[in-house]
Amino acid sequence: DQQVKQNSPSLSVQEGRISILNCDYTNSMFDYFLWYKKYPAEGPTFLISISSIKDKNEDGRFTVFLNKSAKHLSLHIVPSQPGDSAVYFCAAPAWGTNAGKSTFGDGTTLTVKP
Amino acid sequence: NAGVTQTPKFQVLKTGQSMTLQCAQDMNHNSMYWYRQDPGMGLRLIYYSASEGTTDKGEVPNGYNVSRLNKREFSLRLESAAPSQTSVYFCASSPREGRQPQHFGDGTRLSIL
């Protein structure tokens, strides 16, 4: 049972428009989420995070929204730029004695067309 | 400003061979992790080390062993490689476990023939 799901394998948007990447989770015990960005042949890099005590976190062009009742989070990129073309992963760390165990979604490949 | 360094970057092995993937971080982080990524999938945790001297199994530990050599280094060993272990392996580190962004190396691409 995949506890963190990214149901869209790919997304294509025009430069300057909004990109919305979605992530769903099944375990209501998750209380912190992170988004990572990955370019080909490189490791993932941290992008933005959100705690369950918030419903929104913003960092420049990137905003993450959390809907706890729907167990859903989304990453908004506005405006999208060609350099944003990458694979985006959402991740949720476990808690307590399993705090080192993070669960990652399968990723969404974003293509931003000039 | 190296961050997390993984060696080697590429490796081809024959079934049954053994090898060790090396990982070192220079950020004075306490926690280190090994993941594998298969095509079209997310990262799956193999083993992690919350702090120097401790290691714990992740989601897919079978066929692997790890050693936290010191605070900087965390190695992953395949004792008898199998084709199912063909994957891209990522090492990561974080200041501590839990709600901490992880810093990743650029991966080791491993093929088992």
Side-chain angles (χ1 to χ4, degrees), chain A residues 31 36 41 43 99-101 105-106, chain B residues 42 57 97-99 102 105-106 109:
Chain A
D31 63 359
Y36 291 86
K101 297 182 179 180
D106 287 344
Chain B
K57 294 179 181 179
E97 58 184 337
R99 298 178 170 196
Q102 295 180 17
D106 284 339
R109 285 147 187 82

Side-chain angles (χ1 to χ4, degrees), chain A residues 27-87:
Chain A
N27 193 330
S28 59
M29 293 290 288
F30 286 135
D31 63 359
Y32 195 81
F33 301 90
L34 305 95
W35 284 93
Y36 291 86
K37 175 180 180 179
K38 183 185 181 303
Y39 292 120
E42 295 183 9
T45 57
F46 169 69
L47 192 57
I48 192 169
S49 61
I50 188 165
S51 167
S52 61
I53 63 173
K54 295 184 175 181
D55 54 17
K56 175 183 173 182
N57 189 27
E58 195 170 354
D59 184 0
R61 297 186 296 113
F62 302 91
T63 303
V64 57
F65 296 91
L66 176 60
N67 182 334
K68 291 183 286 294
S69 60
K71 296 191 184 71
H72 176 83
L73 61 155
S74 60
L75 174 69
H76 293 213
I77 306 173
V78 184
S80 300
Q81 299 173 354
D84 296 329
S85 296
V87 180

Side-chain angles (χ1 to χ4, degrees), chain B residues 30-103:
Chain B
N30 287 307
S31 301
M32 298 186 73
Y33 314 83
W34 276 106
Y35 293 92
R36 61 178 286 175
Q37 186 189 14
D38 299 317
M41 296 181 69
L43 289 90
R44 292 185 292 169
L45 183 66
I46 304 171
Y47 272 93
Y48 70 100
S49 172
S51 60
E52 187 178 355
T54 69
T55 60
D56 284 289
K57 294 179 181 179
E59 181 185 355
V60 289
N62 291 343
Y64 305 95
N65 286 301
V66 291
S67 295
R68 184 75 183 264
L69 304 170
N70 48 56
K71 191 171 186 178
R72 289 187 64 247
E73 298 173 287
F74 189 38
S75 63
L76 178 72
R77 182 160 179 84
L78 287 72
E79 289 292 351
S80 179
S84 60
Q85 294 178 303
T86 294
S87 190
V88 181
Y89 291 83
F90 290 100
C91 177
S93 70
S94 62
R96 57 184 185 275
E97 58 184 337
R99 298 178 170 196
Q100 298 282 312
Q102 295 180 17
H103 300 253

